Amino acid sequence: MIRRTLREWQRIGYGDDNTTIPPSEADRIAALAARSSFAGRGGEGVLEHGRKGLRARGVVGVIAAPGCQLEILPKIEGLGEHETTDEALRRRLIHMLAVVHDLRIDAGSLAQLGWQKDTILELLIRLFCARLMEAVRMGLPRLYVDHADDLPALRGRLDVTRQFSRHAVAPQKLACRYDDLSSDIALNQVMRAAVTRLQRVAQAPDNQRILRELGFAYADVTEVPIPALRWDQIILDRTNQRWRELLSFARLLLGDRHQQTSAGATDGHALLFEMNALFEQYVARLVTRALAGSGYRVAAQGGHRDCLFEAGTGRFRTKPDLIIRQGDRTVLVIDTKWKRMAPRIDDPKQGVSQSDVYQLMAYSQLYRCPEVMLLYPHHGDLPPEPICTRYAIASDGAEETLQVATLDVTGPAHTHIEALKHLLAQTLPAAVAA
């Protein structure tokens, strides 16, 4: 198995040594990447397939073809950090995924993972399998399921309509309707689908072994194709609360708008995450926690106000990443950008895109909001302290301002929440009291 690891926006050339990738393997990997939902019209939204090599873009995860596996890691750097190990990047990516998908991963579980030798996909499989095996040992959840059957003796209640339409001339059979306690329910069908999918993609021997054991545990549960899974029929109550996190984990591994774990007819698989979307959701979760109890409300991907109108019809609908409201008033609009700001010595604008500035100015006007913010991840080439620069919009001394700020996304989530509290307190003074 040829295994290579890249950082986002990094390039790997063609060749036969440990720092390159054979052209034939690269072609298969690129074909898989081109089938991803993130590939875009040109098919190179995940990987640029050039004459001299492959170049990763802003999508991270694992792409695997027979005999070859390519892992793409995000460049998540801390304050004053310049060189980061692959192990540290895997930890940080899993931390962000855990926050976004409400997964509580304790220190003991993290310590037992193979951070150096395994890819992000194998690490997630290992975490999921350990949690699922623990839950299965306590028993599969069961519910009463309605059955209709023709029996020689009455069970439950008689289905009069079916009895006289189907068995009018054969009364030795009774049309019965009864409830039976069953484990063949939607929740278990989702778990079986996850186990079946992961059995096909897991490479680590310990993951393969535990997945085989889980396969036996779910042998009596109906195998339902992933697109046909009935998520809407899953009911979580006090009797099965321990399955809530496992359900989130299964949704993560089976696919949603942020990633996919299959590649159609192509022989191979992929688990991919768009870092722009992941960073946006991560910040949304932490801002919500930072403002809890303060009287402010946080809405992600909300607003939906139109820029232009024609004969009563709105055009160019907007969808800011984060809107913070107090009552009916919008007090702050935040747009997250998974981009690397440039040190001021290199660029007076610090790499802030002019189009991003125009977008935030439009938000300020549309949502009648005097404060807007561009939020970037901090990285090692920036000054050691997080950036928070405030600019007056349109004229010097204007009340409307645009802030350009950074957030250090390394370390535990509670430090990020404190950093956001400090940042938001400069714009939302009432949040300090909370």
Side-chain angles (χ1 to χ4, degrees):
M1 168 70 76
I2 296 173
R3 176 181 157 186
R4 300 290 183 264
T5 297
L6 291 180
R7 311 282 174 89
E8 54 180 339
W9 304 105
Q10 190 177 1
R11 186 183 300 275
I12 184 171
Y14 301 137
D16 297 318
D17 58 32
N18 291 333
T19 62
T20 58
I21 185 170
S24 59
E25 310 294 345
D27 290 344
R28 288 203 290 270
I29 292 291
L32 281 165
R35 296 183 66 89
S36 165
S37 56
F38 303 126
R41 290 185 179 179
E44 294 195 336
V46 177
L47 286 175
E48 294 177 10
H49 192 194
R51 291 187 301 107
K52 297 183 179 180
L54 300 176
R55 181 173 182 253
R57 294 178 63 85
V59 177
V60 302
V62 176
I63 308 169
C68 185
Q69 196 172 70
L70 180 67
E71 179 184 37
I72 306 170
L73 296 175
K75 296 186 72 172
I76 304 174
E77 300 168 353
L79 301 177
E81 199 173 55
H82 295 280
E83 292 296 330
T84 315
T85 64
D86 291 346
E87 176 185 352
L89 295 181
R90 292 185 189 110
R91 286 178 179 271
R92 292 167 185 176
L93 177 56
I94 284 185
H95 166 74
M96 292 181 71
L97 291 170
V99 169
V100 168
H101 293 276
D102 293 321
L103 307 175
R104 290 178 296 176
I105 304 176
D106 58 82
S109 299
L110 294 177
Q112 298 173 10
L113 297 182
W115 297 103
Q116 294 181 333
K117 62 185 179 68
D118 285 322
T119 65
I120 284 292
L121 176 56
E122 295 294 340
L123 296 173
L124 289 172
I125 291 174
R126 187 168 292 121
L127 283 168
F128 175 72
C129 286
R131 287 285 182 86
L132 184 56
M133 181 58 79
E134 181 182 346
V136 165
R137 284 171 179 158
M138 298 175 65
L140 296 183
R142 298 188 298 168
L143 290 174
Y144 281 101
V145 178
D146 183 55
H147 289 272
D149 204 356
D150 299 327
L151 303 174
L154 182 64
R155 180 177 181 183
R157 62 190 185 280
L158 184 69
D159 187 334
V160 176
T161 302
R162 197 169 89 250
Q163 178 69 34
F164 287 101
S165 61
R166 180 175 297 182
H167 303 300
V169 296
Q172 68 271 21
K173 290 285 189 179
L174 297 177
C176 302
R177 296 195 69 91
Y178 59 92
D179 294 334
D180 193 23
L181 195 60
S182 172
S183 60
D184 194 12
I185 58 176
L187 175 57
N188 290 330
Q189 289 166 3
V190 167
M191 295 303 151
R192 169 157 188 176
V195 169
T196 303
R197 165 64 62 82
L198 297 179
Q199 284 177 322
R200 295 197 293 265
V201 305
Q203 297 291 326
D206 62 320
N207 283 342
Q208 293 174 339
R209 176 186 55 77
I210 195 169
L211 284 166
R212 283 195 298 269
E213 294 179 19
L214 288 167
F216 288 126
Y218 283 95
D220 295 331
V221 176
T222 303
E223 186 170 351
V224 179
I226 293 172
L229 289 171
R230 295 303 305 269
W231 299 88
D232 59 311
Q233 291 185 357
I234 297 174
I235 300 173
L236 294 174
D237 54 31
R238 59 181 180 81
T239 65
N240 59 5
Q241 275 300 309
R242 70 179 187 275
W243 293 88
R244 183 178 297 276
E245 286 183 69
L246 279 165
L247 191 63
S248 296
F249 226 139
R251 194 183 296 274
L252 168 68
L253 292 168
L254 290 174
D256 57 20
R257 75 181 185 89
H258 297 291
Q259 48 86 29
Q260 70 173 51
T261 49
S262 64
T266 305
D267 191 9
H269 61 269
L271 175 70
L272 299 172
F273 305 93
E274 186 183 18
M275 283 307 299
N276 265 324
L278 183 60
F279 181 55
E280 174 194 322
Q281 282 206 329
Y282 183 73
V283 171
R285 292 298 179 100
L286 296 188
V287 168
T288 301
R289 296 180 190 179
L291 294 177
S294 66
Y296 292 102
R297 292 180 293 110
V298 181
Q301 290 287 316
H304 303 290
R305 293 188 180 177
D306 296 312
C307 291
L308 304 176
F309 286 85
E310 178 188 16
T313 302
R315 309 287 187 195
F316 303 101
R317 178 156 294 185
T318 60
K319 193 165 61 174
D321 294 342
L322 285 174
I323 296 177
I324 299 176
R325 294 189 175 96
Q326 188 176 40
D328 296 330
R329 187 169 61 96
T330 299
V331 294
L332 180 63
V333 175
I334 302 176
D335 228 37
T336 59
K337 303 293 180 183
W338 186 258
K339 300 177 182 177
R340 292 174 69 85
M341 288 187 67
R344 186 176 290 273
I345 192 172
D346 297 331
D347 180 2
K349 298 179 182 178
Q350 294 189 268
V352 177
S353 166
Q354 194 157 330
S355 61
D356 290 341
V357 172
Y358 291 165
Q359 183 182 32
L360 267 292
M361 290 173 64
Y363 288 164
S364 177
Q365 176 70 22
L366 282 172
Y367 294 90
R368 295 179 174 83
C369 179
E371 301 279 355
V372 290
M373 179 187 294
L374 282 169
L375 186 62
Y376 296 83
H378 203 87
H379 61 85
D381 293 330
L382 294 174
E385 294 298 322
I387 291 171
C388 182
T389 307
R390 188 182 295 267
Y391 299 92
I393 296 176
S395 63
D396 189 27
E399 292 185 2
E400 294 79 13
T401 62
L402 185 153
Q403 296 179 63
V404 176
T406 61
L407 175 67
D408 179 11
V409 291
T410 63
H414 69 85
T415 62
H416 309 166
I417 294 173
E418 291 303 317
L420 285 169
K421 282 184 178 180
H422 178 73
L423 178 63
L424 295 171
Q426 301 176 47
T427 305
L428 312 173
V432 178

